[in-house]
Amino acid sequence: MRSTEEFKKLIFSLCDSNGVSGDEEEAAAVVSRELSRFMPVKTDTLGNVTGERGGCKTHILLDAHLDRIGMIVTSVGDDGFIMAAPCGGVDRRVLPAAGVIILGKEKVFGVVTSTPPHLSKGGKEVPDFDAFSVDTGLCGDKAKELISPGDRILLKTNQRRLIGSRISSAALDNRAGVAAVLRCLEMLEDKKSDCKLTVLFSVQEETTGGGAKTGSFSSDAAESITVDVSFAASPGIPAEKSAPLGNGVMIGFAPSLCREMSKELVMLAEENSIPYSRDVMGGGTGTNAESVAFSKGGKRAALLSIPIRNMHTPVEVCDVEDIENTARLMCAYIMKKGGVVND
Amino acid sequence: MTDTLKELCSLYGVSGREDSVREYIVSQLSPDCEYSVDNPGNLLVFKKGRKRPKNTVMLAAHMDEVGFIVTYVTDDGLLKFDNVGGIDVSVMTGRSVRVGERLIPGVIGVKPVHLLKEEEKKEFPERDSLYIDIGAKSRAEAEEFVLPGDCAYFDSDFVTFGDGLIKARALDDRAGCALMLRMLADELEYDTWFAFTTQEETGTGGAQAAAYTIDPAYAIVLETTTAADIAGVEGEKRVCELGGGPVISFMDKRTVYSRELYGAAFEHAKANGIKAQAKTQVAGGNDAGVIFKSRGGVSVLAVSLPCRYLHSPSCVIKESDMQETYRLVKLLAEDFSVR
């Protein structure tokens, strides 16, 4: 099993790969390589990465979305400035003067324009998306040679180690979830569980939700655990919608989620001294959990979330311990369902 | 010059904390430069030329940059902060920063867009609501690393991109410092003073003292100024353009520039095939605003590099503008020495 330090490096490298919604190829290659350490891996029509491992007991699907938010080029101007649209829920408040990478024929650095002070009238208003453009510093011809409509744009991030076990990077949503699934598979390696396992690293969660819908349709799993990120406590966020960073895994309770599974996860967390909190949602979970729960004839579905701060910005923050604890709980569940006692 | 600029931009120094920038500049001075550091921290450099000038000429560029200062550590280990110099809240939200003496990483947090009410989505957050997160879980843990009074900076690397463009933080006014260092590395025609000033961003106090001490007849302020030559902005609203060469100001919010010197700048540019452009808005201000009022008065000229996204983590200038500016300033300094 990787050391904590090596695991941090894995998280950073997962977050570092591209894979803006609908264009997940690069990230898919990275996770395929990781996943193939544990089981045979396939890529399906939409680009979902799936792996399957045989077993005689409960068939469990582990799902984490692979894509990240970003932008998509809509036109390239004669002046070398790029117009773009959001690809997923981009926070416009973090765009002015932000560095970006345009994934054209080659990677092109650019800066999102910001309204100069003499034109902003001192206002606090966030400009509409179409008031922004991306400054490539190139002449129109060169820009058009390298960049085409449909190319994706990433907000540039500084991957940093903060104090203790906390880190900052873009794309922790949801590479943190992907990392938790991979960590769980590592933990299972020296244990014996007879569960049949399907792993689904799904595409397009941030845009269409189509990845989890089609990917889970292809699986006959009886149960599923979706791993995603949720809100960590920070100023201005209601306590009931968040969990403190570093306080462990968030176990979801919602109408679409299987109550028995949620309760069993709580029980296992208690038994194994895994820190956790209850993440209660009155309606939809805003994750893949629903598409998985209702795919085919339906699956018993659970949701585990990793709390992060500043979601959908280039400075997402998480506590690596929370990812570890998410993996531990998933592992405990899979052992409980398929563990061989007194072998 | 670009290498020197990269070095200068790798250093951190908000107003009042210019030490590391000053130390670097001193380390680059040739033995024939005489220098002193005054109480406000200005670095005053005198370099002998081939000839004695008729008039004392001072070039000035400021060493400080805009940034933040930590004002309070919360019970939860978050850092409240204030601005040092003018930074718009729109370029702060969701940015990574470096904090304190050890330059530890942190981020300026935001409430996630998913949880914003419709009204909140339309406006940038209140400046006072922002905080820096260094990953600490408590005040005690945070204070092992950072204390109130420590400074913070945008965490933004030096990137060359596009058609000869440079993106970095603190180009305002390390670009001016780089130009002066380049001149100091040259043989000069006339004895010349160079003032690397402090605290421009918080009120131009450094330059006021420097101008008093040097007592110049003429001064050229080397600066960066807002270029709004971006998509969707036309005509005079663009202020100036990257690639258009040095920007000559006739007036800004602090100074009405010498009409004679303004004219001389364009004459020299034209006669020597140097690109130059007028600043087409009365906006901004710089050290010239205190230099012209020094003692019995000083004739001042501001020569600036056009710079997009000034006072943000991503200031952008063009390398060719630095070359053109250098050529022009050298001619102007010689002219003013004997005018």
Side-chain angles (χ1 to χ4, degrees):
Chain A
M1 199 158 103
R2 285 181 166 92
S3 67
T4 305
E5 191 47 39
E6 287 165 342
F7 183 49
K8 257 188 203 177
K9 279 188 192 151
L10 171 68
I11 299 166
F12 277 134
S13 88
L14 289 170
C15 291
D16 198 34
S17 59
N18 304 327
V20 176
S21 216
D23 187 22
E24 293 88 352
E25 218 168 295
E26 185 181 312
V30 175
V31 300
S32 294
R33 198 173 61 234
E34 286 299 325
L35 186 57
S36 61
R37 289 176 49 205
F38 308 103
M39 54 186 74
V41 174
K42 289 188 301 192
T43 302
D44 74 7
T45 313
L46 293 189
N48 291 308
V49 174
T50 57
E52 201 154 271
R53 190 194 83 174
C56 298
K57 297 201 174 156
T58 316
H59 183 182
I60 303 173
L61 170 77
L62 304 178
D63 161 63
H65 75 82
L66 178 61
D67 60 321
R68 60 192 286 179
I69 61 158
M71 297 186 281
I72 186 164
V73 175
T74 53
S75 68
V76 183
D78 294 334
D79 51 7
F81 285 80
I82 309 289
M83 297 302 287
C87 204
V90 173
D91 187 343
R92 283 178 291 138
R93 299 170 305 161
V94 306
L95 292 179
V100 298
I101 303 289
I102 306 157
L103 305 165
K105 283 208 182 82
E106 55 190 64
K107 289 182 183 177
V108 177
F109 176 82
V111 176
V112 180
T113 57
S114 118
T115 313
H118 65 285
L119 300 177
S120 74
K121 297 159 199 135
K124 287 181 54 207
E125 210 168 299
V126 181
D128 286 335
F129 213 91
D130 55 13
F132 291 106
S133 55
V134 178
D135 179 354
T136 61
L138 295 167
C139 65
D141 287 344
K142 184 73 181 165
K144 285 174 186 180
E145 189 188 315
L146 294 175
I147 302 160
S148 313
D151 288 346
R152 301 301 202 277
I153 303 174
L154 292 175
L155 286 175
K156 208 161 175 275
T157 179
N158 293 316
Q159 296 195 323
R160 295 286 183 259
R161 288 153 195 269
L162 305 181
I163 292 174
S165 46
R166 297 180 177 186
I167 57 171
S168 173
S169 174
L172 283 169
D173 177 5
N174 182 33
R175 306 290 160 81
V178 171
V181 171
L182 291 170
R183 191 64 160 169
C184 167
L185 295 174
E186 271 189 356
M187 290 171 179
L188 284 168
E189 264 188 316
D190 56 359
K191 294 190 171 70
K192 287 189 177 159
S193 167
D194 203 18
C195 282
K196 183 175 177 185
L197 284 184
T198 301
V199 173
L200 169 62
F201 291 136
S202 44
V203 297
Q204 298 188 31
E205 191 269 353
E206 301 289 1
T207 45
T208 66
K213 188 165 189 298
T214 54
S216 58
F217 177 86
S218 305
S219 168
D220 290 321
E223 298 191 348
S224 69
I225 301 176
T226 290
V227 188
D228 206 333
V229 296
S230 186
F231 307 112
S234 55
I237 300 185
E240 68 275 18
K241 288 195 170 140
S242 62
L245 213 53
N247 262 29
V249 50
M250 299 167 80
I251 300 173
F253 284 81
S256 56
L257 302 175
C258 171
R259 194 165 174 81
E260 285 78 42
M261 272 184 87
S262 300
K263 283 165 81 174
E264 190 150 18
L265 286 161
V266 166
M267 200 186 69
L268 283 168
E270 295 277 357
E271 275 175 19
N272 293 280
S273 307
I274 298 167
Y276 74 96
S277 59
R278 290 166 188 256
D279 180 23
V280 185
M281 294 147 283
T285 62
T287 69
N288 278 340
E290 279 81 21
S291 4
V292 177
F294 306 128
S295 69
K296 264 190 187 164
K299 295 175 175 56
R300 282 155 55 93
L303 172 65
L304 298 180
S305 300
I306 299 155
I308 68 168
R309 284 180 177 158
N310 316 318
M311 198 186 290
H312 285 197
T313 75
V315 295
E316 292 177 341
V317 171
C318 81
D319 194 319
V320 175
E321 272 301 308
D322 292 333
I323 306 179
E324 290 274 10
N325 284 317
T326 305
R328 274 184 205 126
L329 184 56
M330 246 186 303
C331 175
Y333 188 84
I334 293 164
M335 286 308 296
K336 168 93 182 191
K337 290 286 166 171
V340 183
V341 187
N342 298 327
D343 185 33
Chain B
M1 210 159 16
T2 304
D3 290 341
T4 305
L5 181 61
K6 187 174 180 178
E7 291 278 339
L8 283 164
C9 286
S10 74
L11 303 169
Y12 295 89
V14 291
S15 309
R17 305 279 177 89
E18 300 87 353
D19 311 56
S20 59
V21 182
R22 185 174 52 240
E23 281 160 23
Y24 171 78
I25 294 170
V26 167
S27 76
Q28 298 300 302
L29 295 176
S30 55
D32 61 335
C33 295
E34 294 168 32
Y35 73 88
S36 63
V37 178
D38 66 9
N39 281 330
N42 295 304
L43 172 63
L44 309 178
V45 182
F46 176 74
K47 180 162 166 134
K48 270 206 157 343
R50 279 187 281 266
K51 299 177 211 153
R52 308 291 80 77
K54 182 175 152 212
N55 315 302
T56 301
V57 172
M58 175 180 93
L59 306 188
H62 66 90
M63 296 184 286
D64 60 318
E65 64 179 296
V66 296
F68 310 103
I69 189 163
V70 175
T71 52
Y72 182 75
V73 182
T74 71
D75 293 343
D76 298 331
L78 299 171
L79 316 177
K80 301 297 288 185
F81 63 95
D82 208 341
N83 295 2
V84 179
I87 307 178
D88 196 82
V89 73
S90 68
V91 299
M92 288 179 211
T93 44
R95 309 310 160 107
S96 49
V97 292
R98 293 276 179 177
V99 195
E101 306 284 321
R102 285 141 73 183
L103 297 166
I104 62 161
V107 306
I108 299 179
V110 289
K111 190 170 163 182
V113 66
H114 318 65
L115 297 177
L116 297 181
K117 300 187 182 85
E118 276 313 306
E119 289 309 301
E120 289 177 307
K121 283 184 188 167
K122 290 182 188 149
E123 289 198 338
F124 288 102
E126 288 292 334
R127 169 68 191 73
D128 293 346
S129 72
L130 298 177
Y131 57 87
I132 295 170
D133 179 1
I134 53 172
K137 292 181 173 130
S138 64
R139 174 183 286 149
E141 190 178 27
E143 287 187 344
E144 286 173 36
F145 297 88
V146 179
L147 288 170
D150 284 347
C151 293
Y153 301 87
F154 288 125
D155 189 349
S156 172
D157 53 358
F158 187 97
V159 177
T160 51
F161 74 107
D163 182 16
L165 269 56
I166 293 168
K167 170 241 126 180
R169 52 158 256 291
L171 286 174
D172 176 10
D173 187 24
R174 305 291 157 74
C177 295
L179 283 166
M180 295 216 303
L181 273 176
R182 175 74 182 80
M183 280 193 79
L184 280 163
D186 271 1
E187 287 253 320
L188 298 178
E189 197 60 22
Y190 297 99
D191 301 350
T192 309
W193 281 91
F194 298 82
F196 294 91
T197 64
T198 57
Q199 301 187 41
E200 192 271 350
E201 299 292 359
T202 49
T204 65
Q208 187 180 323
Y212 171 85
T213 304
I214 293 173
D215 191 14
Y218 291 87
I220 306 172
V221 173
L222 299 178
E223 260 287 8
T224 51
T225 196
T226 295
D229 57 334
I230 56 176
V233 181
E234 301 297 337
E236 79 287 357
K237 297 273 189 248
R238 292 167 82 88
V239 188
C240 58
E241 299 187 354
L242 264 62
V247 186
I248 316 297
S249 306
F250 46 79
M251 180 178 171
D252 59 33
K253 290 279 170 66
R254 288 166 176 264
T255 310
V256 182
Y257 292 91
S258 155
R259 201 157 176 82
E260 181 193 334
L261 303 191
Y262 175 80
F266 285 102
E267 282 162 25
H268 282 292
K270 194 172 175 197
N272 293 279
I274 301 170
K275 281 184 178 177
Q277 54 186 327
K279 177 172 173 174
T280 60
Q281 292 273 309
V282 178
N286 54 51
D287 278 341
V290 290
I291 295 171
F292 89 87
K293 287 188 273 194
S294 182
R295 296 195 185 223
V298 178
S299 292
V300 292
L301 182 67
V303 180
S304 304
L305 288 166
C307 180
R308 291 177 188 155
Y309 327 120
L310 208 66
H311 291 198
S312 84
S314 309
C315 305
V316 173
I317 63 170
K318 189 161 176 136
E319 282 178 289
S320 65
D321 288 328
M322 285 195 80
Q323 305 299 339
E324 298 287 292
T325 304
Y326 172 72
R327 289 176 62 204
L328 182 62
V329 170
K330 207 161 151 71
L331 290 167
L332 289 171
E334 285 169 15
D335 172 354
F336 298 169
S337 297
V338 291
R339 184 168 277 260

